[in-house]
Amino acid sequence: MNDFVDKHSIVRKIWGNSDVILFIFAGSAAEFALNKAVDWLYFTGKIPSDPLGRLFSTVRYAQMIVFADGESAIKTIDQISSIHQGVEQSRGARIPDWAYRDVLYMLIDYGVVAYELLERKLSLEEKEEVFNVFSEVGLRMGLKDLPRDYASWLQSREEHLQADLVNGHYTADLFKQYKKHLGGTRYRILLECQKLVVPAKVSELLHFGSSAKGKILLNLYLLSRKLKIDGLVKHILLPAEYSEQIHALNNGALAKAKPKTDSINHARAYHANKKLQGM
């Protein structure tokens, strides 16, 4: 059985690197908060109630695709589609196709940006490889109007950024939840990390300003890696209850771990929607 992603692929290096993954989701957390379809995340109740848990759930699914054989990866993609269909049925509406594309685009974009920030510049061929893998995921999910290649994706990504983002009520509330679950110091570090990876449009809408502090923190962290004390740094900076899962981000180990909870609980989604309607 062939692997869904070649064992030597840059995609496995990206999604098997805990540092890169954490930056991918720092950027995604910022952009998610601006997306015009973010109300769907409030309907399930997952992100506002447990943003860190949602991160690890999403990473687990990504690694179950990237580090699996072709048949297993397809089963995982179909499972993701089934979960979303269940949420759509609970709400009685469809998640917009462009919202699905936005999520795929974030995984492509932040994967490239985060890896280049922490490791090295990627070649055009490697960027094409990242695009191709997630394009295959999108095609399996039945998404339409996907770009045909990386060059087309760059243009489509910019169009989505201009059309699909807004700073609204959910934006402010999500950042409040990030701060609540991370605490003041970790939250400020998150903001500095986000400034280093988000596109200009996201930075503009969130009024981020200078990334000078973030660059200093990044250089200090890169130094800690050279001194081989980065594990201690992450242990200090990240919530202790997630230390085991953070370690498991390396080399796709999280994909093999048994999840503690279902990815989406439909009963919780129903009650979350009732609560949302009362906001």
Side-chain angles (χ1 to χ4, degrees), residues 42-43 90-91 170 269-279:
Y42 271 75
F43 177 77
S90 295
R91 191 173 185 180
Y170 292 116
Y270 174 81
H271 292 298
N273 182 46
K274 291 297 184 183
K275 182 179 179 182
L276 178 62
Q277 291 173 349
M279 291 176 66

Side-chain angles (χ1 to χ4, degrees), residues 73-240:
I74 287 172
K75 286 181 180 178
T76 298
I77 297 169
D78 290 347
Q79 182 182 0
I80 294 169
S81 296
S82 177
I83 289 169
H84 287 126
Q85 288 165 9
V87 176
E88 289 174 333
Q89 289 173 3
S90 295
R91 191 173 185 180
R94 283 187 56 82
I95 300 172
D97 212 52
W98 55 262
Y100 282 112
R101 289 196 299 274
D102 282 340
V103 174
L104 278 183
Y105 287 8
M106 279 188 270
L107 298 179
I108 296 168
D109 196 358
Y110 291 120
V112 170
V113 171
Y115 193 85
E116 291 193 328
L117 182 71
L118 292 162
E119 302 297 335
R120 61 171 176 81
K121 292 293 182 181
L122 297 179
S123 67
L124 178 58
E125 290 74 19
E126 288 173 321
K127 293 176 183 179
E128 288 274 8
E129 200 174 333
V130 175
F131 165 79
N132 288 335
V133 166
F134 286 99
S135 181
E136 284 296 317
V137 173
L139 289 171
R140 180 67 190 182
M141 293 178 69
L143 302 190
K144 298 184 173 51
D145 300 322
L146 290 173
R148 64 184 180 276
D149 53 32
Y150 181 73
S152 301
W153 171 79
L154 286 172
Q155 179 179 347
S156 184
R157 167 68 167 155
E158 185 59 32
E159 291 170 354
H160 275 251
L161 287 170
Q162 297 302 321
D164 300 344
L165 304 183
V166 64
N167 191 323
H169 166 74
Y170 292 116
T171 308
D173 188 69
L174 264 183
F175 273 89
K176 286 180 182 177
Q177 299 306 320
Y178 298 155
K179 186 173 183 178
K180 173 184 174 182
H181 286 84
L182 288 172
T185 299
R186 293 182 182 125
Y187 174 72
R188 286 190 290 272
I189 293 172
L190 170 67
L191 294 179
E192 296 304 326
C193 291
Q194 290 175 332
K195 291 177 185 179
L196 294 173
V197 294
V198 298
K201 181 65 176 179
V202 174
S203 182
E204 173 192 338
L205 288 172
L206 291 172
H207 312 292
F208 268 166
S210 171
S211 62
K213 290 181 181 178
K215 291 175 181 176
I216 293 172
L217 290 173
L218 175 64
N219 288 332
L220 289 173
Y221 181 71
L222 293 176
L223 176 61
S224 77
R225 291 207 309 192
K226 290 182 179 179
L227 298 175
K228 301 189 184 303
I229 58 171
D230 52 301
L232 175 61
V233 172
K234 278 189 282 192
H235 180 73
I236 294 172
L237 293 179
L238 297 166

